[in-house]
Amino acid sequence: MRVVIQRTRHASVSIGGEQKSTIGRGMLVLVGIEEADGQEDIDWLAHKIVNLRIFDDEAGVMNRSVVDCGGDILVVSQFTLHALTRKGNRPSYIRAARPETAVPLYEQFCRDLGAALGKPVQTGRFGADMQVELLNDGPVTILMDTKRKE
């Protein structure tokens, strides 16, 4: 699984001109799932995400987690995180999981991330044409890949 985490002042996702989800201070998590992903990837990411110390403490130092600051999380599926761009100019998405594999993993990831956060996460809709808006706070943007736990 690959994720792009962005610290937000606020974020929202709309589908067909209607707002589906919105959060204030917290994280927008864009998640890409590949065929080789499973529960081990979900467990590692959920734990890592809610414990990332990327929010400022009283001294202005990034030393607090989303749990510590009572923030929210918005999760949006994004298969394009697995784009291969080595050949030509049209990305290939062959590493991205097919919906029959990806949807159950996405839904489990959202449930497990919500359990780790202590409240439900907000979501987009898997496979939908979504419009995502955010005010990136910092900006703080972090990339994580469960196959390259760096």
Side-chain angles (χ1 to χ4, degrees), residues 54-129:
I54 62 171
F55 294 89
D56 292 347
D57 62 15
E58 298 76 25
V61 176
M62 286 196 292
N63 202 27
R64 299 181 76 205
S65 71
V66 67
V67 173
D68 295 336
C69 70
D72 294 312
I73 297 177
L74 172 59
V75 180
V76 176
S77 63
Q78 188 170 356
F79 74 94
T80 59
L81 292 178
H82 286 291
L84 298 174
T85 57
R86 276 180 244 178
K87 291 179 164 180
N89 294 316
R90 183 172 183 211
S92 169
Y93 304 105
I94 60 172
R95 289 193 50 211
R98 302 200 44 79
E100 52 272 12
T101 299
V103 170
L105 289 172
Y106 170 76
E107 291 172 349
Q108 188 65 48
F109 174 67
C110 292
R111 283 191 299 273
D112 290 1
L113 187 58
L117 181 63
K119 57 185 169 182
V121 299
Q122 299 298 307
T123 65
R125 183 179 309 134
F126 191 94
D129 179 18

Side-chain angles (χ1 to χ4, degrees), residues 28-55:
L28 170 64
V29 178
L30 305 173
V31 60
I33 299 168
E34 63 180 299
E35 291 291 336
D37 291 331
Q39 188 63 45
E40 182 179 316
D41 300 283
I42 291 170
D43 293 344
W44 186 82
L45 269 180
H47 174 77
K48 199 72 164 170
I49 290 169
V50 299
N51 289 294
L52 278 176
R53 297 184 327 181
I54 62 171
F55 294 89

Side-chain angles (χ1 to χ4, degrees), residues 122-141:
Q122 299 298 307
T123 65
R125 183 179 309 134
F126 191 94
D129 179 18
M130 297 174 275
Q131 291 68 54
V132 179
E133 292 187 42
L134 81 143
L135 178 57
N136 189 323
D137 184 21
V140 174
T141 301

